[in-house]
Amino acid sequence: MKTITVFTPTYNRAYCLHKCYESLIKQSNQDFVWLIIDDGSTDTTEELVASWIKENKIDIVYHYQENLGMHGGHNAAYRLIETTLNLCIDSDDCMGEDAIEKILNSWETIKDKPEYAGLVGLDADESGAIIGTKIPQNIKQTTLYDIYNVHGVKGDKKLVYRTEVVKKYPSYPIFEGERFVPLGYLYQLIDQDYKLLPVNEVFCVVEYMADGSSMNMLKQYRRHPRGFAFSRKSRMQLAKNFKDKFKNAIHYVSSSMFIKNGGFLKESPKKLITFLAIPFGVLLNLYIRYKTKNEF
């Protein structure tokens, strides 16, 4: 049994998936499995992966499913993973140099400490520049929420979780006709019960593709309002200060307008804050409609 599963949800990314593969075969430590969740691809992904399995350079597990979106890919991965640790490397990203070795060396320091859900490391771009900022060196344990909201860290970070911890929490919901629920829903649930070990090492090299979710967020808001409304309700419930609750209430109001949910106030976990957020939520909704009018 390997120690860590690197899982990659992918949809019609045969044209760039090879970069992730090449970064994995170069890893100095091969104590991992690459789990590819093919989320209904109609390109040559299956044939490409089959050729890599035949090469037998690394351990690869291939799973095909109907198209459910990124969060559906994560659901499948968490259901299938059997290794001690797991992390997600997106289909347009690469594993950092010697990242598996760095992860497992850091893991040795906390593996017998049950209060830790895992590690949080850095993302870098293809030039080697850190995405956002590093994590302050004096922090020995944290949560993902505190990294951003208490310590003021900027930019995407890479999470490595204990598989047994992830499996304790509910799967991402699947909404008919939608393909996106923000992944932070699960991470914030884990934050309530566990800590993370900060590691100022690059685990992942990212490239923000034109067809990726990061570059199309406003369109995502409009296409998947039920998923976003679900996430915002959870964030309101778990937020630690008024500012964060109010911000999420604004987004909740906006998403509720897209699905014409007249009962959104009744369904809100923070009714007064949601009521106060209505004018701002309406403005946000109008802004998103204006910015995406050519797409819809």
Side-chain angles (χ1 to χ4, degrees):
M1 174 81 65
K2 301 288 188 177
T3 302
I4 186 166
T5 295
V6 178
F7 70 92
T8 301
T10 185
Y11 175 70
N12 287 344
R13 286 291 182 84
Y15 68 92
C16 66
L17 192 59
H18 65 92
K19 294 190 295 183
C20 187
Y21 173 62
E22 290 162 4
S23 73
L24 289 169
I25 63 178
K26 292 177 182 176
Q27 291 297 307
S28 57
N29 188 318
Q30 295 284 306
D31 189 10
F32 67 89
V33 177
W34 189 24
L35 171 61
I36 300 169
I37 306 296
D38 187 342
D39 194 42
S41 294
T42 57
D43 61 3
T44 60
T45 295
E46 185 173 5
E47 294 81 1
L48 184 63
V49 174
S51 71
W52 294 337
I53 293 174
K54 189 175 181 179
E55 288 179 1
N56 198 31
K57 292 183 177 180
I58 56 174
D59 287 346
I60 299 176
V61 176
Y62 174 78
H63 173 78
Y64 182 89
Q65 65 181 26
E66 66 174 297
N67 182 235
L68 296 172
M70 177 68 80
H71 65 296
H74 278 241
N75 283 346
Y78 296 143
R79 191 169 62 246
L80 295 168
I81 291 169
E82 297 179 348
T83 57
T84 302
L85 299 174
N86 69 82
L87 83 157
C88 176
I89 300 292
D90 289 342
S91 55
D92 53 357
D93 295 341
C94 300
M95 201 79 196
E97 185 177 357
D98 299 330
I100 295 294
E101 184 173 347
K102 294 170 182 175
I103 289 168
L104 294 180
N105 286 343
S106 297
W107 168 245
E108 284 295 315
T109 67
I110 61 164
K111 68 179 184 180
D112 296 322
K113 298 178 180 180
E115 67 270 24
Y116 285 94
L119 322 170
V120 55
L122 305 177
D123 283 352
D125 65 21
E126 292 180 308
S127 72
I130 302 301
I131 302 297
T133 59
K134 287 188 174 183
I135 305 166
Q137 294 286 356
N138 63 311
I139 301 172
K140 303 306 179 185
Q141 62 173 219
T142 185
T143 63
L144 190 62
Y145 182 93
D146 284 351
I147 280 179
Y148 296 114
N149 295 281
V150 176
H151 304 300
V153 176
K154 306 295 183 183
D156 290 340
K157 300 294 175 271
K158 184 55 59 180
L159 294 161
V160 182
Y161 280 124
R162 294 181 192 256
T163 301
E164 65 176 359
V165 167
V166 175
K167 288 180 180 287
K168 292 179 180 180
Y169 295 88
S171 299
Y172 295 100
I174 303 297
F175 296 100
E176 186 176 356
E178 295 192 14
R179 298 291 182 272
F180 190 84
V181 172
L183 299 176
Y185 160 70
L186 172 62
Y187 308 152
Q188 198 166 11
L189 290 181
I190 294 173
D191 276 355
Q192 308 310 303
D193 304 316
Y194 294 94
K195 300 296 184 181
L196 294 166
L197 175 70
V199 181
N200 273 312
E201 297 280 2
V202 174
F203 292 169
C204 182
V205 177
V206 303
E207 180 181 1
Y208 296 115
M209 304 288 282
D211 61 345
S213 61
S214 297
M215 299 296 287
N216 293 278
M217 192 52 67
L218 289 182
K219 286 184 272 188
Q220 297 278 32
Y221 272 119
R222 191 158 181 180
R223 286 178 180 146
H224 314 290
R226 289 178 177 83
F228 276 96
F230 169 84
S231 172
R232 295 299 179 174
K233 283 198 292 184
S234 177
R235 290 187 184 190
M236 266 194 284
Q237 182 68 45
L238 300 176
K240 295 182 179 180
N241 56 61
F242 177 83
K243 179 181 177 182
D244 201 21
K245 291 175 184 176
F246 191 67
K247 177 184 70 175
N248 283 289
I250 292 170
H251 286 273
Y252 171 63
V253 171
S254 175
S255 294
S256 297
M257 289 179 65
F258 279 121
I259 58 178
K260 300 178 181 178
N261 178 15
F264 73 92
L265 191 58
K266 182 179 179 181
E267 297 170 10
S268 171
K270 302 293 179 181
K271 293 177 176 53
L272 178 58
I273 292 175
T274 301
F275 177 77
L276 295 174
I278 288 175
F280 303 95
V282 171
L283 290 174
L284 176 61
N285 183 274
L286 292 173
Y287 172 77
I288 294 171
R289 288 179 186 273
Y290 173 74
K291 297 295 287 188
T292 60
K293 63 182 178 180
N294 293 331
E295 300 289 333
F296 294 85

